[in-house]
Amino acid sequence: MNTPKTFARMITLSFISVYIMLSITFLRPFFGGALGYNLIAGLVLSAASTPIFFYLESLCRKYSLRIWGTITLGLFAGIFLGKALETIYESLLLSAAAGNEIAPYLLTYPKTLIYLFSIHLAVSLILVYQEELHLSIPFIRFHKTTGDEKNIILDEHALGDPRIFDFLSTGILNNKVIIPTFITKDLKRKLELAQSHSGGSIQRIIAAIDKIKEIKNLNVKENETDFSDLTDIRKKIHRLAKVTGSNILTAECSKISKEPDEVEYIGINHIANALKNIMSTGESIEIKVQRYGKEPKQGVGYLEDGTMVVINNGGSFVGEVIETRVISVKQTSAGRIIFTNALVEEEEPSYAYESYEPHETV
């Protein structure tokens, strides 16, 4: 328990409770002004207000200080906007009255509505466009950036990758992970319109989002910023990364490129390939030949991590586990491929075929 914070809360609530009790006691609004009865009423109301204040405090703590700062800025902007609209309204009203007396209700109620509308409009707009506000007012920014540390935005491809939960559970990401709410809304919209064959995959992504939020020691935040002028989800993610200074974690290989506006895409597949075991030339490995390769007498097998192994002179041993020797390792867009020679006695000399097209693999 945070003792100073608890002490400060108790002092503040005590002052509020005492103020309520004394106000009712001395103003005596109940029971014909009887002092004793009003004192009792003040004690009861002050005691009843304490749990209400605790509940409101716990409700407010669910929202970050950034949200409250944004709302405060919206209130000030709404008041200024309301004052401007009030001045315009009074000028138009005086011009229309042409010297005649103006009814009080024409001044009171419309002004109240003007201020309520202005505050609502200003707060709503700032909450929606808070991430872009610093582009028009450079010295205002609603998030903290320290050094070169950048947040990570998960795109729809990363959320749909079955490896994402295990990857985030490792604790390797100590910076904030952002899940845009417009992705969740788009998935739910697609789920309502989806056919039976595609609804299952969308439900799995939605379930993965809920599961990621429950990962301990992972700073997951939902970003409610949306860009109404864009309809393409990828463009929205790209702009969100740009205005928040974040990187994008994706499982789409075609997006791994250096963008001109310095939005960096981090590929899950590239991370997985970098962590795979690197075989050196001349190393011997045992592998099961699972099918025929593209070239004559060529077989294909796979390591436990999914790395493809092309085996020269291995086509005759489909279904068997044989010993091979590494002759080279080739990196392709689809991943790493290891080329080996089967260590078997052959009547003809073996040749190191390194011709293989990954897109023809199963």
Side-chain angles (χ1 to χ4, degrees):
M1 180 181 292
N2 192 328
T3 304
K5 184 169 65 174
T6 303
F7 178 75
R9 290 168 59 195
M10 295 302 298
I11 291 295
T12 304
L13 289 175
S14 298
F15 276 119
I16 295 175
S17 299
V18 170
Y19 176 78
I20 293 174
M21 181 191 68
L22 294 178
S23 298
I24 294 176
T25 301
F26 290 104
L27 294 177
R28 303 179 187 181
F30 307 116
F31 309 108
L35 177 61
Y37 288 113
N38 278 274
L39 177 60
I40 295 174
L43 289 172
V44 171
L45 289 177
S46 62
S49 64
T50 301
I52 296 176
F53 284 122
F54 272 115
Y55 171 75
L56 292 175
E57 181 186 0
S58 63
L59 189 65
C60 293
R61 283 206 303 267
K62 293 182 179 180
Y63 302 95
S64 64
L65 183 62
R66 170 185 171 185
I67 294 295
W68 289 112
T70 305
I71 292 175
T72 303
L73 181 60
L75 289 174
F76 279 105
I79 291 173
F80 283 114
L81 178 61
K83 185 64 178 177
L85 294 177
E86 177 193 6
T87 303
I88 295 174
Y89 172 75
E90 285 184 348
S91 300
L92 294 175
L93 193 63
L94 290 174
S95 300
N100 298 324
E101 185 177 356
I102 301 174
Y105 69 88
L106 291 178
L107 292 174
T108 305
Y109 296 109
K111 285 183 180 180
T112 303
L113 291 175
I114 286 173
Y115 276 100
L116 290 176
F117 169 77
S118 300
I119 291 173
H120 171 75
L121 180 63
V123 171
S124 300
L125 289 176
I126 289 180
L127 284 174
V128 171
Y129 297 105
Q130 55 184 302
E131 298 291 355
E132 295 183 276
L133 190 61
H134 73 281
L135 296 177
S136 55
I137 309 178
F139 54 84
I140 294 182
R141 195 174 183 90
F142 290 98
H143 63 89
K144 182 181 178 182
T145 55
T146 56
D148 295 327
E149 182 179 352
K150 291 188 176 182
N151 299 327
I152 301 295
I153 298 177
L154 303 181
D155 71 353
E156 70 277 20
H157 300 286
L159 292 170
D161 194 298
R163 301 168 295 180
I164 187 63
F165 180 79
D166 293 332
F167 175 71
L168 296 177
S169 299
T170 60
I172 193 172
L173 295 180
N174 58 357
N175 42 0
K176 185 165 67 177
V177 175
I178 299 175
I179 300 178
T181 55
F182 57 73
I183 291 181
T184 307
K185 293 178 182 178
D186 183 68
L187 289 172
K188 292 180 178 179
R189 179 185 61 82
K190 289 180 179 178
L191 185 60
E192 295 176 355
L193 304 175
Q195 303 295 330
S196 58
H197 66 275
S198 59
S201 60
I202 297 176
Q203 287 179 340
R204 283 193 295 272
I205 298 176
I206 296 176
I209 294 175
D210 297 332
K211 195 175 178 182
I212 289 171
K213 294 177 185 177
E214 298 175 356
I215 298 177
K216 294 181 180 180
N217 301 323
L218 182 65
N219 189 10
V220 180
K221 298 293 182 181
E222 288 189 286
N223 192 298
E224 299 182 357
T225 304
D226 201 347
F227 305 99
S228 56
D229 57 321
L230 298 177
T231 57
D232 190 292
I233 293 296
R234 290 176 296 180
K235 292 182 179 179
K236 286 186 177 184
I237 294 173
H238 186 85
R239 181 182 292 185
L240 180 61
K242 183 177 179 181
V243 299
T244 58
S246 305
N247 295 332
I248 300 174
L249 184 65
T250 183
E252 186 182 12
C253 296
S254 62
K255 294 300 294 182
I256 309 302
S257 60
K258 186 66 177 179
E259 300 290 339
D261 49 6
E262 297 183 355
V263 174
E264 185 176 353
Y265 288 81
I266 303 173
I268 296 178
N269 293 327
H270 285 194
I271 296 174
N273 290 333
L275 296 176
K276 286 181 179 180
N277 186 25
I278 300 178
M279 298 291 181
S280 58
T281 303
E283 184 177 351
S284 298
I285 56 174
E286 287 189 351
I287 190 162
K288 182 179 180 180
V289 184
Q290 297 187 8
R291 60 183 179 84
Y292 295 103
K294 179 183 176 184
E295 301 294 339
K297 297 184 179 183
Q298 196 177 66
V300 175
Y302 297 90
L303 299 180
E304 291 183 358
D305 60 7
T307 302
M308 178 186 295
V309 179
V310 179
I311 309 163
N312 297 318
N313 297 323
S316 303
F317 303 94
V318 174
E320 299 180 24
V321 177
I322 63 174
E323 187 175 1
T324 64
R325 179 168 294 162
V326 177
I327 57 175
S328 66
V329 179
K330 184 177 181 181
Q331 184 68 44
T332 68
S333 59
R336 185 179 291 118
I337 300 178
I338 301 175
F339 292 90
T340 65
N341 278 333
L343 296 181
V344 294
E345 293 183 0
E346 293 285 341
E347 295 181 358
E348 299 178 1
S350 59
Y351 296 94
Y353 296 108
E354 295 190 16
S355 174
Y356 203 86
E357 297 182 8
H359 67 271
E360 294 186 4
T361 63
V362 178

